[in-house]
Amino acid sequence: MQNHDEIILRTRRIDPAAPYPVVHQAVRIALYDEYAARAFYQRVTEAYGARAPFANIQRAEEQHVGALYSLCERYGIPRPLDPFPAETTIEAGWLANCQRGVAGEIANVRLYAELLAQIGEADVRRVFENLQAASLHNHLPAFQRAVAAAQAQERYHAAHGIAPQQAYARHGPVSDFLERAFAQLGQHAGPLGLFSPLLRHAHPAMLAGMAAGGAGAYLLKSRLGRHRKEI
């Protein structure tokens, strides 16, 4: 089953000649676009786990949908059908999905700008402006940071002959955190002084393992020290 205004929704463009009020078209277009974003973030979360920024932005999308549902109720606008859970696919790698997130948020900001230029209802404008601001100031920067981090991690692993898709293999929470940290630190030779060549040339899994092992040894030593004092 399709929406009665399928072409309007798919193209994300208000049709002045359509037999529906402009405000109805605008709210349905906005809701349809939020449906699409929500489904994409859900798919990425299912594939990669509840990792930032997708997991938290997915929750934010639920709030966006809820805000638009309220407008539907206020104006008697039928909610559009949501086809995206059945038809949404994701990209082949984490970096590509983060880049798609950036592109999607930019498109969302532009969409709200186009819709705002065509509606005058104050309450609708307020909701649209709030959702646009969330995309511009919260979601977009989060995805941009994720892209930068993913690029650094893939470059770091590529320097050791590791395929990009293996850059995100899980080794445990501590090792994963340290591996990402080394990927970021290895780019900056200045602050690291003599240690930067080591970080740039050492195998990422080895460094993460060494750091995790060192942390474990430190904790064990601390516990033994406390135990001796108690004796």
Side-chain angles (χ1 to χ4, degrees), residues 84-170:
F84 296 105
E87 64 183 45
T88 298
T89 59
I90 64 173
E91 306 304 318
W94 175 257
L95 173 58
N97 283 297
C98 292
Q99 291 170 327
R100 179 171 161 183
V102 169
E105 294 298 336
I106 291 173
N108 184 258
V109 170
R110 290 175 177 168
L111 173 63
Y112 278 116
E114 293 170 1
L115 296 177
L116 283 164
Q118 301 178 72
I119 59 172
E121 290 78 359
D123 53 347
V124 178
R125 291 185 61 84
R126 184 165 53 252
V127 171
F128 282 11
E129 287 168 353
N130 289 341
L131 299 184
Q132 183 188 49
S135 291
L136 179 61
H137 300 301
N138 299 331
H139 302 178
L140 178 57
F143 279 122
Q144 289 171 330
R145 289 191 296 270
V147 166
Q151 288 173 333
Q153 193 163 348
E154 290 193 7
R155 282 195 302 268
Y156 184 60
H157 284 71
H160 301 87
I162 301 174
Q165 61 269 26
Q166 294 300 317
Y168 308 102
R170 297 299 183 92

Side-chain angles (χ1 to χ4, degrees), residues 55-66:
N56 52 316
I57 294 180
Q58 179 195 339
R59 290 190 293 271
E61 290 299 331
E62 294 289 355
Q63 297 175 350
H64 290 195
V65 168

